[in-house]
Amino acid sequence: MSWQSYVDDHLMYEISPGHSLFAAAIIGHDGNIWAQSATFPELKAGEIEKLLDGFEENSVLAQNGLFLGGHKYMVLQGDPGIVVRGKKGPGGCCVRKTNSALLIGLYDEPCTPGECNIAVEKLGDYLQEQGY
């Protein structure tokens, strides 16, 4: 399966009637985009590095926020070193770190935080088990 198929079929699917992520991507720890939806924002320089640093030292993201495509998300909670969740207005994000990549899902209403978290974390758990 191609990386794009993982984004299209496992992140951008209809989670429940009328509810789906509005953007998603799989990005390597080196900052290279493996696959993304057409709606995923263009990342700014240093955003992936800061995000990875935040996985190592969670308080950095909690204090400064999480930035994706120049948009700031308030960090809520997550599993240290594994998952970071953020909120921005009526939407938010979920980022799942695996051995070699970051899976990022962005949602807005009517999609709920829980639906986003399940989609991103379920695929992240699978890829982690596969050694990615």
Side-chain angles (χ1 to χ4, degrees):
M1 184 179 285
S2 74
W3 291 113
Q4 191 61 50
S5 294
Y6 282 112
V7 169
D8 296 341
D9 300 338
H10 298 282
L11 293 176
M12 295 299 293
Y13 70 100
E14 189 173 48
I15 300 164
S16 63
H19 295 214
S20 61
L21 302 180
F22 79 78
I26 301 174
I27 301 172
H29 289 186
D30 60 3
N32 287 323
I33 296 173
W34 295 4
Q36 66 182 6
S37 64
T39 54
F40 195 78
E42 184 176 339
L43 298 176
K44 308 294 181 197
E47 288 181 338
I48 293 301
E49 290 172 7
K50 289 178 182 175
L51 182 54
L52 284 168
D53 290 345
F55 274 100
E56 297 303 317
E57 179 53 55
N58 201 20
S59 65
V60 171
L61 292 177
Q63 292 171 0
N64 302 321
L66 161 65
F67 287 85
L68 295 169
H71 301 281
K72 183 178 182 178
Y73 293 82
M74 177 181 67
V75 174
L76 300 175
Q77 47 91 356
D79 299 322
I82 301 170
V83 176
V84 173
R85 298 178 187 108
K87 184 83 172 132
K88 177 181 169 283
C93 66
C94 179
V95 183
R96 170 61 162 92
K97 181 183 177 194
T98 67
N99 291 330
S100 54
L102 297 172
L103 285 74
I104 303 172
L106 306 177
Y107 70 92
D108 209 345
E109 290 181 334
C111 188
T112 67
E115 290 171 326
C116 177
N117 297 345
I118 289 170
V120 173
E121 293 174 39
K122 184 177 176 182
L123 179 57
D125 291 346
Y126 170 77
L127 293 176
Q128 181 77 23
E129 290 172 8
Q130 300 305 308
Y132 295 105

